PDB file of all heavy atoms in Angstrom:
ATOM      1  N   GLY Q 458     -21.803 -27.030   2.349  1.00  0.00           N
ATOM      2  CA  GLY Q 458     -20.748 -27.499   3.279  1.00  0.00           C
ATOM      3  C   GLY Q 458     -20.776 -26.737   4.588  1.00  0.00           C
ATOM      4  O   GLY Q 458     -21.172 -25.572   4.644  1.00  0.00           O
ATOM      5  N   SER Q 459     -20.299 -27.384   5.655  1.00  0.00           N
ATOM      6  CA  SER Q 459     -20.321 -26.782   7.000  1.00  0.00           C
ATOM      7  C   SER Q 459     -19.051 -26.021   7.292  1.00  0.00           C
ATOM      8  O   SER Q 459     -18.951 -25.349   8.310  1.00  0.00           O
ATOM      9  CB  SER Q 459     -20.523 -27.862   8.051  1.00  0.00           C
ATOM     10  OG  SER Q 459     -19.476 -28.822   7.991  1.00  0.00           O
ATOM     11  N   GLY Q 460     -18.033 -26.116   6.404  1.00  0.00           N
ATOM     12  CA  GLY Q 460     -16.757 -25.435   6.677  1.00  0.00           C
ATOM     13  C   GLY Q 460     -16.570 -24.179   5.903  1.00  0.00           C
ATOM     14  O   GLY Q 460     -15.434 -23.698   5.694  1.00  0.00           O
ATOM     15  N   ASN Q 461     -17.681 -23.532   5.455  1.00  0.00           N
ATOM     16  CA  ASN Q 461     -17.577 -22.316   4.669  1.00  0.00           C
ATOM     17  C   ASN Q 461     -17.527 -21.073   5.541  1.00  0.00           C
ATOM     18  O   ASN Q 461     -18.352 -20.170   5.448  1.00  0.00           O
ATOM     19  CB  ASN Q 461     -18.801 -22.202   3.727  1.00  0.00           C
ATOM     20  CG  ASN Q 461     -18.745 -23.204   2.584  1.00  0.00           C
ATOM     21  OD1 ASN Q 461     -17.924 -24.110   2.589  1.00  0.00           O
ATOM     22  ND2 ASN Q 461     -19.643 -23.054   1.626  1.00  0.00           N
ATOM     23  N   PHE Q 462     -16.510 -20.965   6.377  1.00  0.00           N
ATOM     24  CA  PHE Q 462     -16.441 -19.820   7.301  1.00  0.00           C
ATOM     25  C   PHE Q 462     -14.984 -19.470   7.587  1.00  0.00           C
ATOM     26  O   PHE Q 462     -14.058 -20.287   7.383  1.00  0.00           O
ATOM     27  CB  PHE Q 462     -17.151 -20.156   8.621  1.00  0.00           C
ATOM     28  CG  PHE Q 462     -16.382 -21.120   9.472  1.00  0.00           C
ATOM     29  CD1 PHE Q 462     -15.492 -20.684  10.430  1.00  0.00           C
ATOM     30  CD2 PHE Q 462     -16.544 -22.487   9.298  1.00  0.00           C
ATOM     31  CE1 PHE Q 462     -14.768 -21.597  11.202  1.00  0.00           C
ATOM     32  CE2 PHE Q 462     -15.836 -23.406  10.052  1.00  0.00           C
ATOM     33  CZ  PHE Q 462     -14.933 -22.962  11.019  1.00  0.00           C
ATOM     34  N   SER Q 463     -14.786 -18.255   8.071  1.00  0.00           N
ATOM     35  CA  SER Q 463     -13.513 -17.852   8.635  1.00  0.00           C
ATOM     36  C   SER Q 463     -13.796 -16.920   9.814  1.00  0.00           C
ATOM     37  O   SER Q 463     -14.783 -16.173   9.796  1.00  0.00           O
ATOM     38  CB  SER Q 463     -12.636 -17.148   7.605  1.00  0.00           C
ATOM     39  OG  SER Q 463     -13.148 -15.887   7.259  1.00  0.00           O
ATOM     40  N   GLU Q 464     -12.924 -16.951  10.810  1.00  0.00           N
ATOM     41  CA  GLU Q 464     -13.102 -16.066  11.967  1.00  0.00           C
ATOM     42  C   GLU Q 464     -11.745 -15.801  12.597  1.00  0.00           C
ATOM     43  O   GLU Q 464     -10.813 -16.596  12.436  1.00  0.00           O
ATOM     44  CB  GLU Q 464     -14.067 -16.682  12.994  1.00  0.00           C
ATOM     45  CG  GLU Q 464     -13.660 -18.033  13.568  1.00  0.00           C
ATOM     46  CD  GLU Q 464     -12.718 -17.875  14.773  1.00  0.00           C
ATOM     47  OE1 GLU Q 464     -12.607 -16.778  15.322  1.00  0.00           O
ATOM     48  OE2 GLU Q 464     -12.111 -18.900  15.143  1.00  0.00           O
ATOM     49  N   SER Q 465     -11.642 -14.703  13.307  1.00  0.00           N
ATOM     50  CA  SER Q 465     -10.388 -14.314  13.931  1.00  0.00           C
ATOM     51  C   SER Q 465     -10.634 -13.355  15.078  1.00  0.00           C
ATOM     52  O   SER Q 465     -11.634 -12.626  15.079  1.00  0.00           O
ATOM     53  CB  SER Q 465      -9.449 -13.678  12.929  1.00  0.00           C
ATOM     54  OG  SER Q 465      -8.252 -13.236  13.529  1.00  0.00           O
ATOM     55  N   THR Q 466      -9.715 -13.378  16.032  1.00  0.00           N
ATOM     56  CA  THR Q 466      -9.712 -12.400  17.114  1.00  0.00           C
ATOM     57  C   THR Q 466      -8.266 -12.100  17.445  1.00  0.00           C
ATOM     58  O   THR Q 466      -7.436 -13.035  17.544  1.00  0.00           O
ATOM     59  CB  THR Q 466     -10.401 -12.956  18.394  1.00  0.00           C
ATOM     60  OG1 THR Q 466     -11.667 -13.461  18.058  1.00  0.00           O
ATOM     61  CG2 THR Q 466     -10.523 -11.891  19.454  1.00  0.00           C
ATOM     62  N   TYR Q 467      -7.928 -10.828  17.572  1.00  0.00           N
ATOM     63  CA  TYR Q 467      -6.592 -10.513  18.044  1.00  0.00           C
ATOM     64  C   TYR Q 467      -6.591  -9.173  18.785  1.00  0.00           C
ATOM     65  O   TYR Q 467      -7.454  -8.341  18.632  1.00  0.00           O
ATOM     66  CB  TYR Q 467      -5.567 -10.519  16.936  1.00  0.00           C
ATOM     67  CG  TYR Q 467      -5.639  -9.407  15.919  1.00  0.00           C
ATOM     68  CD1 TYR Q 467      -5.089  -8.152  16.121  1.00  0.00           C
ATOM     69  CD2 TYR Q 467      -6.245  -9.647  14.682  1.00  0.00           C
ATOM     70  CE1 TYR Q 467      -5.129  -7.150  15.183  1.00  0.00           C
ATOM     71  CE2 TYR Q 467      -6.285  -8.642  13.706  1.00  0.00           C
ATOM     72  CZ  TYR Q 467      -5.735  -7.399  13.987  1.00  0.00           C
ATOM     73  OH  TYR Q 467      -5.787  -6.422  13.017  1.00  0.00           O
ATOM     74  N   ILE Q 468      -5.598  -9.003  19.647  1.00  0.00           N
ATOM     75  CA  ILE Q 468      -5.437  -7.799  20.434  1.00  0.00           C
ATOM     76  C   ILE Q 468      -3.966  -7.425  20.436  1.00  0.00           C
ATOM     77  O   ILE Q 468      -3.100  -8.299  20.511  1.00  0.00           O
ATOM     78  CB  ILE Q 468      -5.970  -7.990  21.891  1.00  0.00           C
ATOM     79  CG1 ILE Q 468      -5.923  -6.694  22.673  1.00  0.00           C
ATOM     80  CG2 ILE Q 468      -5.168  -9.092  22.601  1.00  0.00           C
ATOM     81  CD1 ILE Q 468      -7.036  -5.760  22.355  1.00  0.00           C
TER      82      ILE Q 468
END
Side-chain angles (χ1 to χ4, degrees):
S459 60
N461 288 10
F462 72 92
S463 70
E464 60 86 14
S465 176
T466 309
Y467 70 82
I468 186 77

